[in-house]
Amino acid sequence: CNFGGVAVCSCLRYTERSATLTMALRRRSLHLVRHAESNWNVMTAGEHVGAHPNLVDVDSDLSPKGERQLDALRNGPALAPPLELILASPLRRALRTALALQTANGGETVPMHVEPRATEWLENSCDCGRPGPIIQREFGTIRGLETLGDGWWPALSNEHGVQSRSTRGTLAALATGGREAAASVDRRCSQLVHKLLHELTENSVAVVAHCMVLHRLESMLREQCGGDELIVDQDSSGVSH
C-alpha cells in the first residue's frame, strides 16, 4: 500500500458497541502505517523476512529514497477522518515517518506517543534500539520518550543462555543466531491490540510501525473484530490497500 510514498498503509474501520441500553454504534478508524524505506531495506535488497547476522546497522535510519518519501508524505493529503492520535515505534525510521505523518495531518495539534510494543520483531541489528536518553535527545518532543530505559527492546539470550538488553549484548546474541521468540511478538502485539480496541478513546488513530509487527496487528484485529464490525478501507484519502 502507498501513502505519500510510504511503503505500507491500511485503514481498518470498526464499530464499538457501547454499554448503553440503545447499544449505540461508534465507528472508529485505525491506520496502520509502515515506515519509509530504510538503509537496511537497501542493504538487504528488500528481503524483509529472515535474519542477516553478518550485517550491522543499529536502529537503521532512512535511505535517500526514504527521505524523498517523507517529503512526499509531509506535502501530501491528510488522512480521513482527521487523525486524533499517532502511536509510533521507538525505532528511528518509524519515529521520523510518524513526525512526517503528523506534519501532514495538522502538526503538533495531533498528539504523538511512543509505543514500544510496536517495535519490529527483533531478529536483526536494524531492530536493535538505542538507549532511551539518546532517542530523547533526537526526538524530544514525542510523548513517552522519557519513560524509555537504556534497554527498552525485547531481551535476547546469547549462546550461554544469558539474557541482555544492552546494545552490545543484543548484537552479540544476534550474531550467534539469537532472535526474539514468536510468542514474545504475539504477546506484545496482543497487548497493543487490546489498547487500540478497549483503552483508547480517540476515534481516528495511526500506528506507525514495521512490516512483521503490522502483519500481526492486522491479523489479530481481524480475529477480534467480527466481519460485521471490521471494514478494510481500500481507498481512503490517498490510502490504498
Side-chain angles (χ1 to χ4, degrees):
C1 316
N2 289 283
F3 178 70
V6 175
V8 174
C9 184
S10 62
C11 177
L12 307 179
R13 302 182 189 277
Y14 61 95
T15 54
E16 181 180 53
R17 300 179 184 277
S18 72
T20 64
L21 291 176
T22 58
M23 294 297 287
L25 297 179
R26 182 161 68 104
R27 195 175 193 186
R28 306 175 68 189
S29 296
L30 172 63
H31 303 272
L32 302 181
V33 184
R34 183 172 175 239
H35 61 80
E37 184 185 80
S38 69
N39 290 322
W40 183 266
N41 297 144
V42 177
M43 292 167 61
T44 58
E47 295 179 13
H48 307 305
V49 180
H52 300 270
N54 297 322
L55 296 178
V56 178
D57 184 19
V58 176
D59 197 7
S60 186
D61 204 351
L62 298 182
S63 69
K65 179 179 178 180
E67 298 285 357
R68 294 193 297 272
Q69 290 173 332
L70 289 198
D71 285 340
L73 180 59
R74 292 187 194 98
N75 297 308
L79 293 174
L83 281 182
E84 298 176 17
L85 176 66
I86 299 173
L87 301 177
S89 156
L91 293 177
R92 178 162 42 194
R93 55 197 186 272
L95 291 176
R96 295 194 59 199
T97 303
L99 286 171
L101 183 67
Q102 184 186 47
T103 298
N105 286 272
E108 294 184 2
T109 59
V110 182
M112 187 187 324
H113 296 180
V114 69
E115 176 48 77
R117 289 170 293 193
T119 192
E120 181 61 301
W121 190 334
L122 180 50
E123 60 178 3
N124 285 298
S125 63
C126 65
D127 308 320
C128 176
R130 296 174 296 161
I134 294 177
I135 302 174
Q136 189 173 11
R137 284 198 293 271
E138 184 175 354
F139 300 98
T141 61
I142 301 175
R143 299 180 190 178
L145 287 177
E146 70 282 356
T147 66
L148 295 180
D150 287 342
W152 52 265
W153 52 90
L156 296 184
S157 297
N158 62 19
E159 68 271 28
H160 305 296
V162 178
Q163 284 197 335
S164 175
R165 277 195 173 92
S166 69
T167 300
R168 178 176 297 180
T170 299
L171 291 176
L174 290 169
T176 57
R179 69 193 298 245
E180 183 181 6
S184 170
V185 181
D186 284 347
R187 180 167 54 252
R188 56 187 175 87
C189 285
S190 178
Q191 293 170 352
L192 181 50
V193 165
H194 185 274
K195 174 179 180 176
L196 294 170
L197 295 181
H198 305 295
E199 298 176 22
L200 297 180
T201 59
E202 290 81 4
N203 288 321
S204 184
V205 178
V207 179
V208 183
H210 312 268
C211 179
M212 300 300 292
V213 163
L214 289 174
H215 280 304
R216 289 302 297 133
L217 288 175
E218 184 168 350
S219 176
M220 289 181 176
L221 286 163
R222 289 179 183 276
E223 291 172 2
Q224 294 196 30
C225 296
D228 293 337
E229 296 184 19
L230 180 65
I231 302 170
V232 179
D233 191 338
Q234 298 189 352
D235 189 6
S236 174
S237 297
V239 179
S240 59
H241 188 79

Short mmCIF file of all heavy atoms in Angstrom, two decimals, residues 70-92:
data_model
loop_
_atom_site.label_atom_id
_atom_site.label_comp_id
_atom_site.label_asym_id
_atom_site.label_seq_id
_atom_site.Cartn_x
_atom_site.Cartn_y
_atom_site.Cartn_z
N LEU A 70 9.41 10.79 2.75
CA LEU A 70 8.95 11.67 3.83
C LEU A 70 8.55 13.03 3.30
O LEU A 70 7.56 13.61 3.74
CB LEU A 70 10.04 11.83 4.89
CG LEU A 70 10.35 10.64 5.78
CD1 LEU A 70 11.10 11.11 7.03
CD2 LEU A 70 9.10 9.87 6.19
N ASP A 71 9.31 13.55 2.34
CA ASP A 71 8.94 14.84 1.74
C ASP A 71 7.55 14.75 1.09
O ASP A 71 6.72 15.66 1.24
CB ASP A 71 9.97 15.24 0.69
CG ASP A 71 11.27 15.73 1.31
OD1 ASP A 71 11.25 16.10 2.50
OD2 ASP A 71 12.30 15.71 0.61
N ALA A 72 7.31 13.65 0.38
CA ALA A 72 6.01 13.47 -0.27
C ALA A 72 4.91 13.33 0.77
O ALA A 72 3.79 13.83 0.59
CB ALA A 72 6.05 12.25 -1.18
N LEU A 73 5.21 12.64 1.87
CA LEU A 73 4.22 12.45 2.92
C LEU A 73 3.86 13.77 3.58
O LEU A 73 2.69 14.07 3.81
CB LEU A 73 4.76 11.46 3.95
CG LEU A 73 3.86 11.11 5.14
CD1 LEU A 73 2.54 10.52 4.68
CD2 LEU A 73 4.58 10.14 6.08
N ARG A 74 4.88 14.58 3.91
CA ARG A 74 4.63 15.87 4.56
C ARG A 74 3.75 16.78 3.70
O ARG A 74 2.94 17.54 4.21
CB ARG A 74 5.96 16.59 4.82
CG ARG A 74 6.85 15.95 5.86
CD ARG A 74 8.05 16.84 6.16
NE ARG A 74 9.07 16.10 6.87
CZ ARG A 74 10.15 15.55 6.31
NH1 ARG A 74 10.33 15.68 4.99
NH2 ARG A 74 11.02 14.90 7.03
N ASN A 75 3.95 16.70 2.40
CA ASN A 75 3.23 17.59 1.49
C ASN A 75 1.99 16.95 0.87
O ASN A 75 1.34 17.55 0.01
CB ASN A 75 4.17 18.05 0.37
CG ASN A 75 5.34 18.86 0.91
OD1 ASN A 75 5.13 19.82 1.64
ND2 ASN A 75 6.56 18.46 0.56
N GLY A 76 1.67 15.75 1.30
CA GLY A 76 0.54 15.04 0.74
C GLY A 76 -0.76 15.35 1.46
O GLY A 76 -0.80 16.17 2.39
N PRO A 77 -1.83 14.69 1.06
CA PRO A 77 -3.14 14.93 1.67
C PRO A 77 -3.21 14.37 3.08
O PRO A 77 -2.51 13.42 3.43
CB PRO A 77 -4.10 14.18 0.73
CG PRO A 77 -3.26 13.07 0.17
CD PRO A 77 -1.89 13.65 -0.01
N ALA A 78 -4.06 14.95 3.89
CA ALA A 78 -4.29 14.45 5.24
C ALA A 78 -5.15 13.19 5.18
O ALA A 78 -5.90 12.97 4.22
CB ALA A 78 -4.98 15.51 6.09
N LEU A 79 -5.02 12.37 6.20
CA LEU A 79 -5.86 11.19 6.29
C LEU A 79 -7.28 11.60 6.66
O LEU A 79 -7.52 12.65 7.25
CB LEU A 79 -5.32 10.22 7.35
CG LEU A 79 -3.97 9.55 7.04
CD1 LEU A 79 -3.50 8.75 8.24
CD2 LEU A 79 -4.09 8.64 5.83
N ALA A 80 -8.23 10.75 6.31
CA ALA A 80 -9.62 10.99 6.67
C ALA A 80 -10.19 9.72 7.31
O ALA A 80 -9.95 8.63 6.80
CB ALA A 80 -10.43 11.36 5.43
N PRO A 81 -10.95 9.87 8.39
CA PRO A 81 -11.23 11.11 9.12
C PRO A 81 -9.97 11.67 9.77
O PRO A 81 -8.98 10.96 9.87
CB PRO A 81 -12.24 10.65 10.17
CG PRO A 81 -11.94 9.21 10.39
CD PRO A 81 -11.54 8.68 9.06
N PRO A 82 -10.00 12.95 10.20
CA PRO A 82 -8.82 13.58 10.76
C PRO A 82 -8.23 12.78 11.93
O PRO A 82 -8.97 12.27 12.78
CB PRO A 82 -9.34 14.94 11.24
CG PRO A 82 -10.52 15.20 10.37
CD PRO A 82 -11.15 13.86 10.16
N LEU A 83 -6.91 12.67 11.94
CA LEU A 83 -6.24 11.91 13.00
C LEU A 83 -6.40 12.61 14.34
O LEU A 83 -6.33 13.83 14.44
CB LEU A 83 -4.75 11.76 12.68
CG LEU A 83 -4.33 10.70 11.67
CD1 LEU A 83 -2.82 10.67 11.54
CD2 LEU A 83 -4.85 9.32 12.08
N GLU A 84 -6.57 11.80 15.38
CA GLU A 84 -6.64 12.32 16.74
C GLU A 84 -5.46 11.86 17.58
O GLU A 84 -5.21 12.41 18.66
CB GLU A 84 -7.95 11.88 17.40
CG GLU A 84 -9.18 12.41 16.70
CD GLU A 84 -10.47 11.90 17.31
OE1 GLU A 84 -10.44 11.40 18.46
OE2 GLU A 84 -11.52 11.98 16.65
N LEU A 85 -4.73 10.84 17.11
CA LEU A 85 -3.60 10.31 17.88
C LEU A 85 -2.70 9.51 16.96
O LEU A 85 -3.17 8.79 16.07
CB LEU A 85 -4.10 9.40 19.01
CG LEU A 85 -3.02 8.70 19.85
CD1 LEU A 85 -2.20 9.72 20.65
CD2 LEU A 85 -3.65 7.68 20.79
N ILE A 86 -1.38 9.64 17.15
CA ILE A 86 -0.39 8.83 16.45
C ILE A 86 0.43 8.07 17.48
O ILE A 86 0.95 8.66 18.42
CB ILE A 86 0.55 9.71 15.59
CG1 ILE A 86 -0.25 10.48 14.53
CG2 ILE A 86 1.62 8.84 14.92
CD1 ILE A 86 0.59 11.48 13.76
N LEU A 87 0.52 6.76 17.29
CA LEU A 87 1.39 5.91 18.11
C LEU A 87 2.54 5.45 17.23
O LEU A 87 2.32 5.03 16.09
CB LEU A 87 0.63 4.69 18.64
CG LEU A 87 -0.59 4.97 19.52
CD1 LEU A 87 -1.26 3.64 19.90
CD2 LEU A 87 -0.20 5.74 20.77
N ALA A 88 3.77 5.51 17.75
CA ALA A 88 4.93 5.18 16.91
C ALA A 88 5.90 4.27 17.64
O ALA A 88 6.16 4.44 18.85
CB ALA A 88 5.64 6.45 16.47
N SER A 89 6.45 3.32 16.92
CA SER A 89 7.55 2.51 17.41
C SER A 89 8.72 3.42 17.77
O SER A 89 8.94 4.45 17.11
CB SER A 89 7.98 1.52 16.32
OG SER A 89 9.32 1.11 16.49
N PRO A 90 9.53 3.07 18.78
CA PRO A 90 10.67 3.92 19.16
C PRO A 90 11.86 3.83 18.21
O PRO A 90 12.83 4.56 18.40
CB PRO A 90 11.08 3.38 20.54
CG PRO A 90 9.91 2.57 21.02
CD PRO A 90 9.29 2.00 19.78
N LEU A 91 11.81 2.95 17.21
CA LEU A 91 12.91 2.88 16.27
C LEU A 91 12.93 4.12 15.37
O LEU A 91 11.88 4.63 14.99
CB LEU A 91 12.83 1.61 15.43
CG LEU A 91 13.05 0.30 16.23
CD1 LEU A 91 12.87 -0.91 15.33
CD2 LEU A 91 14.42 0.29 16.89
N ARG A 92 14.12 4.58 15.02
CA ARG A 92 14.31 5.87 14.36
C ARG A 92 13.50 5.99 13.06
O ARG A 92 12.90 7.03 12.80
CB ARG A 92 15.80 6.08 14.07
CG ARG A 92 16.12 7.36 13.34
CD ARG A 92 17.59 7.73 13.47
NE ARG A 92 18.45 6.58 13.34
CZ ARG A 92 19.75 6.58 13.67
NH1 ARG A 92 20.30 7.68 14.16
NH2 ARG A 92 20.49 5.51 13.51
#
